[in-house]
């Protein structure tokens, strides 16, 4: 990867990080306070998620596996929701990932991930139905 990030001003780096974070999660991200937020936006999203060698989908797949292996299912909900909303993965693909992860992260962890997929998919479907009803009015 080129070191173009090194050539950015702090303001440009923040803007790049906020834009990438919004792209990753599928919602508008506004600037926030504190060192933790700054590191998240300026390093994780401006640097790491912006590297060209992997797609957002590639990174999301890796992250879902890592989160499941660590039992971080609440964070998985955010990632599953973003993957569905951004059209990166379908519910069927996510359920296939759950089956695969059962064999590498343990049956309980993979099953819990499958439960997360079901919960998030149902919520996304309800939200889409509400939006469709609102658009009809």
């Amino acid at each position: 990867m080129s070191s173009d990030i090194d050539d950015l001003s702090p303001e440009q780096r923040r803007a790049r990080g906020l834009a990438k974070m919004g792209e990753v999660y599928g919602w508008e991200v506004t600037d926030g306070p504190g060192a933790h937020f700054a590191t998240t936006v300026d390093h994780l999203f401006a640097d790491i998620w912006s590297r060209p060698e992997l797609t957002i989908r590639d990174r999301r797949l890796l992250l879902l596996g890592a989160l499941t292996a660590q039992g971080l299912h609440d964070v998985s909900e955010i990632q599953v929701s973003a993957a569905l909303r951004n059209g990166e993965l379908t519910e069927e693909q996510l359920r296939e990932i759950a089956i695969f992860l059962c064999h590498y992260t343990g049956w309980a962890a993979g099953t819990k991930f499958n439960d997360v997929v079901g919960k998030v998919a149902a919520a996304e479907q309800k939200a889409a139905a509400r939006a469709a009803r609102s658009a009809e009015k």
Side-chain angles (χ1 to χ4, degrees), residues 17-29 45 86:
L18 289 170
K20 182 57 74 173
M21 194 173 183
E23 182 182 355
V24 167
Y25 290 114
W27 64 65
E28 185 178 339
V29 179
F45 287 96
N86 292 344

Side-chain angles (χ1 to χ4, degrees), residues 70-117:
Q70 295 177 72
L72 299 172
H73 303 292
D74 54 338
V75 181
S76 292
E77 288 184 22
I78 297 166
Q79 297 302 323
V80 167
S81 179
L84 289 168
R85 191 173 36 258
N86 292 344
E88 297 159 1
L89 296 163
T90 65
E91 180 180 354
E92 293 76 22
Q93 290 170 321
L94 288 160
R95 290 192 182 276
E96 186 65 26
I97 290 167
I99 292 168
F100 183 78
L101 289 174
C102 280
H103 293 81
Y104 288 94
T105 65
W107 204 262
T111 300
K112 179 61 179 166
F113 179 74
N114 188 65
D115 293 345
V116 166
V117 170

